[in-house]
Amino acid sequence: MRLSQPYAISSLALAAACCWTAPALAQEQPADGTPAAQDDRAPIAGEDIVVTAAAGDKSRFRSSISVSQVSQESIQNFTPRSEAEVLRSIPGLQPSDTAGPGGNANIGVRGIPVSTGGSEYVALQEDGLPVTLFGDIQFGNNDYWLRFDQNVERVEAVRGGSASTFASQAPGAVVNYISKTGDKEGGAIALSKGLGFRESRVDFDYGGPITDTLRFHVGGYAREGGGPTNEDYNVLRGYQVKANLTKDLGEKGYIRLFFKRLDEHAPTNTTMPSLVTIKGDKITGFKPLPTFDARDGSTYSIYNREFQYVSRNGQLDTAKMNGIHPKVTSVGGQFHYELSDMLTVDNNFRYTDMSGSFVTQFLNVATTASVLGSTVNGATVGSIRYAAGPQKGQVYTGAYLNNNPNINTQMTDMGSIANNLGLTGKFDLGGGRVTVQAGWFHMSQNIAQVWHVNRQYSALDGENPAPLNLFSTTGAQLTAAGQAGFNDNWGSCCSRAVDLTYTDDAPFLSANYSGGGLDLDASVRFDRIRGEGTAQGGVAGPNYTVTDEVGSATLPSLIPGGPIERINYKRSYTSWSIGALYAFSNSTSIFARASRGGRFNADRRTLGGNFNADGSLNAQGASTAVNFLNQQEIGVKQRGFIGAAGNYSVEITGFRSTLTENNYDFTRINNPPPNNDPNISNSYRAWGIEFTGRLNVGDFHLAADLTWVNPKIKDSATATLAGNRPGGIPKLTYLISPSYDMGLFAVGISASGQSSAPIDDFNTYTLRGTTFFNGFVKVRPVDNLEVGLNANNLFDTLGYRAGGTLLPINGTSGIFQNSAVYGRTITASIRYSF
């Protein structure tokens, strides 16, 4: 008999779990599964109550969902350089954690690709409410707006399953940063400094009781420096402060108030090029370019710390190259109260004032020869010269240059109001218990932005690249300070101004039965979203005569002034999830789940031909407004004790995902054919296995997270893509972290990496997989004092996490481009706890 894929996955998962756990199962004595002398042993992972995408009364072990809980200390040990690096601790997620501390990472899940940018199917939350309503807002991704620091108690993540019904716009996964709340008195202050690169940081936090019923927690950080690429000016600078105050209402509940302020400039990186060897369809042998090393090269420069742009009203203005600059002020509150033994009310509210800017220099490698002889601003390019720096005015002789735009997006209003109200009832039924929760989620998200995308040329140099000016064959200057035009790099679509508001109202209902070892649950969510506002593309503006250090040039422009696209429509859809778990004992459980979750396409649909004149959806817009992600999963959870001083936990989940996606990516317009169609219409299928294992024996600890996935493009409007693997998704990703902590001394290392993957959906080339190592050493010479060293990319490996583009040089070599993993960075720290 031939087994179906889901059945085969579940069989493999159960077999693997039995192999891992068989030796330890023999040590469990009582028939009811309660380990002998349990109160004398260390706690086993899985007892923490799941508060993310759940009703809030189940432990991880008894929840029929795939959930991970990562502690503050586990994350801190490896000094993540970005929020996406934090997420690498979670199996099933696919973060391309190379964009830098400012954010702008692509975050996929379970083989479903990120076809446009951001995190289309993954929500990032703080204390149970989403940071942004949509994870892939253009120039407003959700990882811009939050920072991991000492305020976070743990990071909790739910993949698939109930993410579809306990959160909006997150059918793939929900990742929740859960704050400390002062239930344990104490705090810490820490100072850290980069060794070999300029970065200084101070962290602090403290919390505890004020009275018997009142407690607080406050903390934050401040940092400055050249960032991981060690720029010659403080491209990284800013701070975050968070605080909360909790009033306990006897044993019935609590009221909690939150405050947060984030104001930080942080770099973000796009493509970092490397020389590669081409063997057939395989890309391997990464080497630095003579003038650019992707491990520490950068487009940030003392020669481009500011640049000119044309404002919406047609005036020349100046932007500072600040990377991503989020400004966030939020206040909120939580209310939890048991009205009776059977009925509990919960409400979670937050108001957020958010704005900022995205100002950076993109990079794309082009041959100098391809620019010479081309037509720029109506003239033939005859020569290229340095526009600034020690070689100002001299002819540029490099074989390659950067012809990607500089970006200045003003995010004038990205604020939101969010509220989640839930009413939970519990009652006995036969020999079990029924829990029913009904609630209402409301969130209003503003997206007000003005884009400035300027054509630009600069030297291909990893350290302080200088702008390049183009001159015609007759000697006329065609560019100024490297810029060839204002707001016109991606055409009229992208000299845009948008003023949008999306409002999501979502009633939800869940029911759970728990009796003996059996848990059954079902949930449904009904999202009703309204989009309103205006969007305006560009029209030809006046020419501007601009003077730089060399001379002057007359540059064309686009300015927002095209027809106003009105947006005024509503869209409703239903998401559902059903699951079951059976616990054979308090050591072994199995679960199965099926779900369907909707994902609304928001601001990425503007200026793409999706609306009628009155703002309603036309036929194209109506058919592509919502994408649905269907998932089935089956898994086993096993845990137990090893002798008197050890324990372990293992979770293995087999999954299958299907998605039909319609979207629009304007950045593809400038790609070489056939990958230059901005319209995306693909059907995907992925199935695979997630493995999470934890082993603690005395002072030794081992964490292992692996995901194996087999993704496929089942169908596509681009016929040649059907049957291919989605670009940039490896079949295997892994994070393995052994550590040893004897109190006075602690040491650990982690290995994270992936197998090979096609660089794009056309599967023309496959990129070699790479493993990267991090490590830490801690010494605690006296009580409460800790001195440490943390190393990221310990062996200074040159490599990449995901797909990209290839510029062939000849049949056996080329230049590969994508965001590279930072080279080795070592941080020294001293921490005092009190």
Side-chain angles (χ1 to χ4, degrees):
M1 181 178 69
R2 183 174 180 176
L3 299 179
S4 66
Q5 286 178 349
Y7 185 89
I9 293 171
S10 63
S11 300
L12 179 59
L14 289 170
C18 291
C19 292
W20 176 285
T21 61
L25 287 173
Q27 300 182 36
E28 296 178 11
Q29 306 298 327
D32 65 358
T34 303
Q38 180 174 348
D39 55 340
D40 295 331
R41 309 187 195 189
I44 309 175
E47 288 298 338
D48 288 334
I49 298 299
V50 179
V51 300
T52 302
D57 59 354
K58 295 285 184 179
S59 70
R60 192 179 81 197
F61 179 74
R62 287 301 296 263
S63 297
S64 59
I65 53 178
S66 300
V67 58
S68 297
Q69 295 167 324
V70 189
S71 70
Q72 158 79 213
E73 183 179 14
S74 296
I75 296 171
Q76 287 279 17
N77 279 342
F78 295 103
T79 319
R81 307 299 188 206
S82 66
E83 300 315 306
E85 284 191 10
V86 173
L87 304 185
R88 288 202 68 80
S89 303
I90 300 167
L93 294 188
Q94 300 146 203
S96 56
D97 56 354
T98 52
N104 205 39
N106 295 336
I107 305 169
V109 60
R110 287 183 167 178
I112 299 302
V114 178
S115 57
T116 54
S119 56
E120 295 173 77
Y121 304 100
V122 178
L124 301 184
Q125 295 184 345
E126 284 188 296
D127 296 305
L129 290 175
V131 177
T132 56
L133 181 57
F134 310 105
D136 65 338
I137 297 173
Q138 297 175 108
F139 294 112
N141 295 353
N142 50 17
D143 66 339
Y144 295 12
W145 312 102
L146 81 167
R147 297 288 187 266
F148 176 85
D149 64 10
Q150 289 183 185
N151 290 290
V152 178
E153 178 183 299
R154 71 179 187 269
V155 175
E156 192 169 85
V158 172
R159 286 96 59 200
S162 58
S164 297
T165 51
F166 281 86
S168 290
Q169 317 307 326
V174 177
V175 181
N176 189 12
Y177 284 37
I178 300 172
S179 298
K180 300 175 183 177
T181 58
D183 53 339
K184 298 177 181 178
E185 184 174 9
I189 183 167
L191 302 174
S192 61
K193 189 171 183 61
L195 301 182
F197 71 103
R198 291 190 313 105
E199 183 174 331
S200 299
R201 173 169 173 148
V202 57
D203 284 83
F204 77 98
D205 81 297
Y206 183 74
I210 300 173
T211 68
D212 290 344
T213 61
L214 191 65
R215 51 195 163 96
F216 78 101
H217 190 271
V218 62
Y221 73 86
R223 60 178 173 175
E224 70 171 17
T229 54
N230 201 25
E231 304 307 317
D232 287 339
Y233 67 100
N234 287 347
V235 66
L236 176 65
R237 61 193 189 279
Y239 68 92
Q240 176 172 267
V241 176
K242 295 175 67 175
N244 57 70
L245 182 69
T246 303
K247 172 66 176 179
D248 292 316
L249 306 174
E251 297 182 355
K252 292 290 188 178
Y254 61 84
I255 298 173
R256 180 172 297 139
L257 303 178
F258 287 97
F259 170 80
K260 169 183 167 178
R261 173 64 179 175
L262 170 64
D263 189 347
E264 182 175 77
H265 303 83
T268 184
N269 298 318
T270 55
T271 54
M272 299 288 109
S274 292
L275 289 171
V276 293
T277 300
I278 304 172
K279 295 181 178 179
D281 64 348
K282 293 180 172 55
I283 299 173
T284 185
F286 304 121
K287 295 181 180 179
L289 286 155
T291 59
F292 199 105
D293 190 329
R295 291 168 293 188
D296 58 15
S298 172
T299 57
Y300 294 94
S301 169
I302 59 175
Y303 304 118
N304 71 358
R305 289 192 59 179
E306 60 183 33
F307 59 87
Q308 288 187 301
Y309 69 96
V310 174
S311 66
R312 185 177 182 181
N313 61 10
Q315 300 298 311
L316 274 174
D317 208 339
T318 300
K320 293 185 179 298
M321 192 74 76
N322 286 329
I324 297 178
H325 179 198
K327 293 185 291 185
V328 182
T329 303
S330 66
V331 293
Q334 292 178 344
F335 176 69
H336 171 83
Y337 194 74
E338 296 178 9
L339 300 173
S340 68
D341 291 341
M342 298 176 59
L343 195 61
T344 302
V345 61
D346 288 275
N347 195 71
N348 197 355
F349 168 82
R350 189 190 63 224
Y351 167 79
T352 305
D353 181 9
M354 257 179 1
S355 61
S357 60
F358 183 109
V359 188
T360 194
Q361 174 66 63
F362 281 9
L363 189 150
N364 176 68
V365 177
T367 63
T368 303
S370 69
V371 177
L372 291 169
S374 68
T375 300
V376 174
N377 294 340
T380 301
V381 178
S383 64
I384 304 173
R385 297 177 180 272
Y386 287 94
Q391 295 174 284
K392 179 177 61 180
Q394 298 180 25
V395 173
Y396 180 70
T397 58
Y400 301 96
L401 52 74
N402 173 20
N403 69 344
N404 233 11
N406 53 39
I407 307 290
N408 172 25
T409 296
Q410 299 299 312
M411 301 176 284
T412 56
D413 184 2
M414 302 293 292
S416 62
I417 296 175
N419 193 84
N420 196 78
L421 172 65
L423 193 62
T424 304
K426 299 180 182 181
F427 57 91
D428 295 331
L429 180 65
R433 191 160 214 202
V434 173
T435 301
V436 178
Q437 185 179 78
W440 189 286
F441 169 79
H442 169 88
M443 187 167 182
S444 178
Q445 175 72 60
N446 297 329
I447 305 175
Q449 300 178 343
V450 182
W451 295 10
H452 308 282
V453 186
N454 305 316
R455 286 184 293 141
Q456 180 281 156
Y457 297 87
S458 59
L460 186 63
D461 192 336
E463 185 175 352
N464 290 321
L468 298 176
N469 276 340
L470 311 183
F471 291 82
S472 73
T473 53
T474 62
Q477 186 172 330
L478 304 177
T479 64
Q483 292 190 181
F486 295 113
N487 307 334
D488 61 351
N489 189 81
W490 289 325
S492 61
C493 77
C494 303
S495 173
R496 69 170 61 186
V498 298
D499 188 357
L500 307 168
T501 299
Y502 293 93
T503 304
D504 190 344
D505 283 287
F508 57 90
L509 178 68
S510 71
N512 173 270
Y513 171 81
S514 182
L518 180 65
D519 282 84
L520 301 172
D521 71 87
S523 51
V524 64
R525 188 180 193 91
F526 182 74
D527 283 276
R528 184 174 183 267
I529 303 176
R530 178 172 182 174
E532 53 189 332
T534 60
Q536 191 174 31
V539 296
N543 292 335
Y544 294 83
T545 299
V546 182
T547 300
D548 64 10
E549 297 181 36
V550 175
S552 62
T554 299
L555 309 182
S557 72
L558 291 174
I559 58 174
I564 293 176
E565 181 176 72
R566 301 192 183 280
I567 298 167
N568 187 8
Y569 69 104
K570 298 174 183 177
R571 192 71 174 175
S572 301
Y573 56 90
T574 302
S575 303
W576 55 265
S577 182
I578 55 174
L581 177 142
Y582 186 78
F584 296 98
S585 65
N586 76 334
S587 298
T588 306
S589 63
I590 61 173
F591 74 93
R593 180 168 290 276
S595 60
R596 184 186 88 150
R599 168 54 168 84
F600 182 81
N601 289 326
D603 66 305
R604 290 182 180 269
R605 308 306 290 159
T606 58
L607 300 176
N610 295 291
F611 300 97
N612 297 313
D614 63 355
S616 61
L617 291 169
N618 58 25
Q620 172 182 291
S623 64
T624 61
V626 180
N627 298 326
F628 288 101
L629 178 60
N630 298 278
Q631 298 184 81
Q632 303 86 44
E633 50 195 317
I634 185 167
V636 59
K637 304 183 182 187
Q638 170 69 42
R639 59 185 185 163
F641 291 97
I642 302 174
N647 62 55
Y648 70 91
S649 66
V650 175
E651 296 184 19
I652 304 176
T653 303
F655 61 85
R656 183 177 184 273
S657 305
T658 59
L659 169 73
T660 297
E661 180 181 53
N662 294 282
N663 221 318
Y664 185 86
D665 181 8
F666 59 84
T667 64
R668 297 189 179 195
I669 295 171
N670 289 348
N671 288 348
N675 195 23
N676 60 344
D677 185 354
N679 294 290
I680 300 168
S681 182
N682 296 332
S683 294
Y684 302 99
R685 182 272 297 150
W687 58 275
I689 298 172
E690 295 170 353
F691 171 91
T692 296
R694 300 292 184 266
L695 176 67
N696 304 292
V697 180
D699 297 330
F700 176 77
H701 311 280
L702 175 65
D705 298 300
L706 301 93
T707 302
W708 184 88
V709 64
N710 183 17
K712 182 179 180 180
I713 303 174
K714 291 184 62 179
D715 195 13
S716 176
T718 306
T720 56
L721 300 183
N724 289 353
R725 281 174 61 191
I729 300 181
K731 285 193 173 182
L732 178 66
T733 57
Y734 49 89
L735 174 63
I736 302 173
S737 306
S739 62
Y740 184 82
D741 190 340
M742 58 177 289
L744 174 65
F745 176 82
V747 63
I749 193 168
S750 72
S752 67
Q754 63 284 317
S755 60
S756 62
I759 66 172
D760 58 31
D761 290 350
F762 293 93
N763 291 188
T764 307
Y765 295 101
T766 298
L767 184 71
R768 184 199 74 190
T770 307
T771 301
F772 303 91
F773 292 86
N774 293 353
F776 72 89
V777 176
K778 297 179 179 179
V779 179
R780 306 178 184 103
V782 297
D783 289 346
N784 301 328
L785 183 65
E786 178 180 279
V787 180
L789 284 177
N790 295 70
N792 285 48
N793 196 356
L794 184 62
F795 300 112
D796 204 26
T797 302
L798 175 56
Y800 298 81
R801 294 282 192 195
T805 60
L806 179 69
L807 175 64
I809 298 174
N810 52 47
T812 60
S813 64
I815 298 175
F816 179 75
Q817 303 183 73
N818 200 359
S819 299
V821 173
Y822 287 127
R824 179 171 52 241
T825 53
I826 300 175
T827 301
S829 63
I830 182 168
R831 180 186 305 270
Y832 180 73
S833 303
F834 48 88

